[in-house]
Amino acid sequence: MRIGIIGAMDEEIHYMRQALDIYGESVHAKGKYYEGTYGTKEVVLCKSGVGKVNAAITTQVLIDRFKVTHILFTGVAGALHPELEIGDIVISTSALQHDMDASALGPHFPQGTIPMFDYESDFTACPSLVELAEQAAAKIPDIHVRKGRILSGDQFIASRETVEKYFQQFDGACIEMEGSAVAQTAFLNDVPFVVIRSISDKANGEATVNFTEFTKLAAERSSSIVEEMLKTI
């Protein structure tokens, strides 16, 4: 077993780097990968960079070069579900690209659907990893957890209107910029995955202020859950 852990930004992998016993570093496709151990578990940690292309490349490198058997994506997100607050945790049940829009081709391709694709466009997370993440989160005090669909797109959402639209249209729990690309890449390679996001902002008009202020707190919380998962995975 070898577990790949991805975060998009330095803040999102900082705490995991401190927790790992790192024995190797390498660069692939201009991204840095840290090989290490957490207890008896083999781990490869990396920063993907922001956006779906970066996330997909990083995931494929983990699979091809490092032969990871499981993928965990950790980091921050904006809330869509009205009951989510800053610091809450979302564990993915699935992940969908909200900015995939071929609806002009006809009713068979509603927004979020990948056209001319032989599979579902809403990529289901590994149920056993979802359960493991829930169990790990339950061990951390004062954390509210919600399971749900994660929406991804190459946009930083900071509009109340868009939040309300995507919550209604896609039944999304939270919104970010990488998770669905990790999910699709993992799915196509038959590698189990789960995305764990901590809410850093409400994806509304205050997003810029909240994101900067709360990213470190949110990243620490999601990393804590990943650490707990590594103890029992």
Side-chain angles (χ1 to χ4, degrees):
M1 177 182 290
R2 178 174 258 202
I3 301 156
I5 301 175
I6 310 171
M9 303 180 296
D10 287 325
E11 294 89 344
E12 293 172 329
I13 68 167
H14 170 77
Y15 297 100
M16 284 308 306
R17 281 187 63 187
Q18 305 305 309
L20 295 179
D21 182 10
I22 295 173
Y23 59 77
E25 298 181 14
S26 56
V27 175
H28 304 282
K30 303 189 186 304
K32 184 173 283 188
Y33 294 77
Y34 303 93
E35 295 175 85
T37 56
Y38 186 90
T40 61
K41 305 299 192 312
E42 286 285 329
V43 175
V44 184
L45 174 69
C46 58
K47 181 183 78 170
S48 65
V50 173
K52 293 186 298 176
V53 173
N54 284 328
I57 291 170
T58 299
T59 305
Q60 195 66 55
V61 169
L62 283 173
I63 294 167
D64 288 344
R65 291 187 175 269
F66 295 99
K67 311 300 181 186
V68 299
T69 57
H70 302 73
I71 292 176
L72 313 179
F73 194 104
T74 176
V76 301
L80 289 180
H81 196 288
E83 294 180 6
L84 283 168
E85 299 295 339
I86 291 169
D88 289 349
I89 296 291
V90 175
I91 300 169
S92 69
T93 53
S94 65
L96 177 79
Q97 298 178 61
H98 67 79
D99 63 348
M100 176 62 69
D101 190 356
S103 57
L105 296 177
H108 295 298
F109 303 111
Q111 185 177 352
T113 300
I114 303 171
M116 319 330 177
F117 188 62
D118 293 334
Y119 308 97
E120 293 291 329
S121 301
D122 187 24
F123 300 99
T124 302
C126 172
S128 61
L129 289 180
V130 172
E131 182 179 0
L132 198 62
E134 278 192 286
Q135 293 170 356
K139 297 177 182 178
I140 302 171
D142 302 321
I143 288 184
H144 173 246
V145 177
R146 176 175 292 276
K147 295 188 298 182
R149 176 178 293 130
I150 288 178
L151 303 185
S152 307
D154 289 323
Q155 304 163 352
F156 191 97
I157 302 300
S159 160
R160 287 184 177 85
E161 291 76 14
T162 304
V163 166
E164 292 173 4
K165 173 187 174 183
Y166 284 169
F167 175 63
Q168 296 296 329
Q169 181 176 354
F170 296 113
D171 191 27
C174 68
I175 194 162
E176 36 89 301
M177 300 176 73
E178 297 86 23
S180 65
V182 172
Q184 182 175 349
T185 308
F187 166 78
L188 291 173
N189 286 276
D190 296 313
V191 174
F193 77 91
V194 68
V195 179
I196 301 163
R197 292 288 194 175
S198 184
I199 300 302
S200 61
D201 64 85
K202 299 281 282 184
N204 54 24
E206 300 173 356
T208 303
V209 175
N210 287 346
F211 184 81
T212 302
E213 185 176 352
F214 292 105
T215 289
K216 289 184 179 180
L217 167 66
E220 184 176 10
R221 286 194 165 190
S222 55
S223 292
S224 296
I225 293 175
V226 171
E227 281 193 57
E228 285 293 333
M229 291 179 70
L230 290 176
K231 295 174 182 177
T232 54
I233 194 169

